[in-house]
Amino acid sequence: MVSVTVEVYGTLRLRTKRKYIYVEIPEVSDRKDLAFALSKVCPDLVGIAINSDATDFNDTYSINLNGLTFLDHDSFRVMSGDSIILLSNQAGG
């Protein structure tokens, strides 16, 4: 298992009262692994950013690894200390 930091912004930060959420996921993970780990550490995300059965993220949210790569449904590799950004796809205006 690898420790990663999940950064949240906007509504998620207000809702969870956290800027960073620390989770452990397998070195080779997928969105399901991350969603499940986050749902256990921060259940306030379920029903907002994470779907109700904690198997994926809702369509209105994207996840990005280290500010470089958006993570889709394929598996991805993480290293200890990596940062995952959870952000809304919706733009204000």
Side-chain angles (χ1 to χ4, degrees):
M1 299 297 275
V2 177
S3 296
V4 297
T5 303
V6 178
E7 297 179 48
V8 294
Y9 296 92
T11 304
L12 295 181
R13 187 177 292 179
L14 293 172
R15 173 88 178 205
T16 62
K17 297 179 177 77
R18 299 163 120 179
K19 181 176 181 179
Y20 303 110
I21 303 167
Y22 303 97
V23 296
E24 289 192 356
I25 57 176
E27 183 179 335
V28 176
S29 291
D30 58 22
R31 291 168 57 103
K32 181 179 180 177
D33 295 324
L34 181 59
F36 183 76
L38 273 172
S39 73
K40 295 301 177 196
V41 173
C42 191
D44 288 337
L45 294 174
V46 176
I48 299 172
I50 299 171
N51 64 21
S52 60
D53 60 0
T55 58
D56 202 356
F57 294 88
N58 290 330
D59 291 340
T60 57
Y61 285 87
S62 292
I63 51 176
N64 182 285
L65 179 61
N66 294 322
L68 300 172
T69 306
F70 282 94
L71 304 176
D72 54 20
H73 293 284
D74 295 331
S75 62
F76 52 90
R77 182 174 300 277
V78 291
M79 296 187 312
S80 184
D82 277 350
S83 180
I84 295 175
I85 304 167
L86 178 57
L87 46 117
S88 173
N89 293 331
Q90 300 175 353

